[in-house]
Amino acid sequence: MIRILAALCFLGICLAQDCVVSNIKVMQDFDKFRYAGTWYAVAKKDPEGLFLLDNIAAHFTIDEYGKMTAAAKGRVIILNNWELCAQMFGTFEDTDDPAKFKMKYWGAASYLQNGYDDHWVIDTDYDNYAITYSCRQEDIDGTCLDSYSFIFSRHATGLRPEDQKIVHQKKQELCLLGKYRRVAHTGKRNILFREDCCCLLHGCCLFGKQLNTFVLL
């Protein structure tokens, strides 16, 4: 009987939760200038296809005209066991909502993805944590069939306990609770953005300029 009641309770929560993409709440009064700078991915929910695995860091920049761009680096594996370090670039187009952008991303290497996705900032305090979300394909009922999301921290060591509580709540609101995986940082974060070293794993440069691969989150 207890198991049946627990199952019904869980079902009721699922049915009551609003997972329609258009109803997802984003950051109010988002300030991209405060958002700019370096963020370290500490957890991610992957989309379909090849995606960065770990040692992921992104740097957002605002130019003199207010246009936001991003560069990111992280480790990928292709052909089952070929380990590469990919550098990523993207440009962001403003919309009527300051927390919702259209993001154009591209890859010089054919095995890496490119496209044109939504990029929504769900929540951030600018100094410690940020949550981003993108739905690539919606179902006929308005829910998402293919989405991805990042949990970012200003610190490669991870989130503070007080931030983890907020992030847990936002995961549930995105209907993605239990679908994220941890992103490890095994390199030295102070040189993640050196031009001659894509990323560091276990303190060693994985690849240098000769790799020259590009993609975006």
Side-chain angles (χ1 to χ4, degrees):
M1 179 62 71
I2 295 177
R3 290 182 179 180
I4 295 175
L5 290 174
L8 290 174
C9 181
F10 179 78
L11 179 61
I13 293 173
C14 292
L15 292 174
Q17 189 171 6
D18 187 355
C19 297
V20 175
V21 176
S22 60
N23 292 337
I24 291 176
K25 295 180 180 179
V26 297
M27 179 71 180
Q28 296 296 308
D29 301 316
F30 176 70
D31 186 342
K32 62 184 177 183
F33 293 93
R34 294 182 62 193
Y35 184 71
T38 300
W39 291 95
Y40 299 94
V42 295
K44 67 188 181 80
K45 188 274 179 185
D46 287 330
E48 296 179 3
L50 179 64
F51 218 55
L52 297 183
L53 295 175
D54 51 35
N55 287 273
I56 303 169
H59 187 79
F60 294 84
T61 303
I62 313 296
D63 67 15
E64 59 184 311
Y65 303 105
K67 182 178 180 180
M68 187 165 73
T69 59
K73 298 178 181 180
R75 187 175 67 101
V76 298
I77 294 178
I78 63 171
L79 303 176
N80 294 323
N81 59 2
W82 189 257
E83 197 174 56
L84 299 176
C85 197
Q87 186 173 6
M88 305 160 58
F89 294 98
T91 58
F92 298 83
E93 299 174 9
D94 294 336
T95 68
D96 293 337
D97 190 321
K100 293 183 177 181
F101 299 89
K102 297 296 295 186
M103 177 180 66
K104 181 181 180 182
Y105 56 98
W106 59 93
S110 60
Y111 53 81
L112 296 172
Q113 296 185 19
N114 58 78
Y116 187 67
D117 292 342
D118 289 329
H119 180 89
W120 294 359
V121 180
I122 301 301
D123 194 24
T124 182
D125 70 346
Y126 303 104
D127 298 319
N128 295 286
Y129 75 91
I131 305 162
T132 66
Y133 173 84
S134 177
C135 179
R136 288 180 166 177
Q137 182 182 1
E138 289 188 24
D139 204 345
I140 56 174
D141 62 357
T143 59
C144 192
L145 289 173
D146 183 19
S147 67
Y148 61 93
S149 175
F150 279 94
I151 308 299
F152 285 115
S153 173
R154 287 291 192 191
H155 320 287
T157 52
L159 299 172
R160 304 176 305 168
E162 55 265 44
D163 301 329
Q164 293 174 8
K165 296 178 182 179
I166 299 172
V167 168
H168 181 85
Q169 177 63 33
K170 294 301 178 181
K171 288 179 180 179
Q172 186 170 355
E173 292 176 6
L174 289 171
C175 301
L176 295 178
L177 192 61
K179 297 183 179 181
Y180 290 80
R181 75 171 187 84
R182 180 177 174 271
V183 176
H185 286 273
T186 56
K188 295 179 181 178
R189 60 184 180 274
N190 61 333
I191 49 177
L192 271 169
F193 286 97
R194 274 178 45 183
E195 292 182 358
D196 60 337
C197 187
C198 189
C199 68
L200 295 185
L201 299 179
H202 307 295
C204 299
C205 188
L206 183 61
F207 280 95
K209 287 183 178 178
Q210 68 271 20
L211 182 60
N212 195 30
T213 58
F214 303 91
V215 71
L216 176 73
L217 10 120

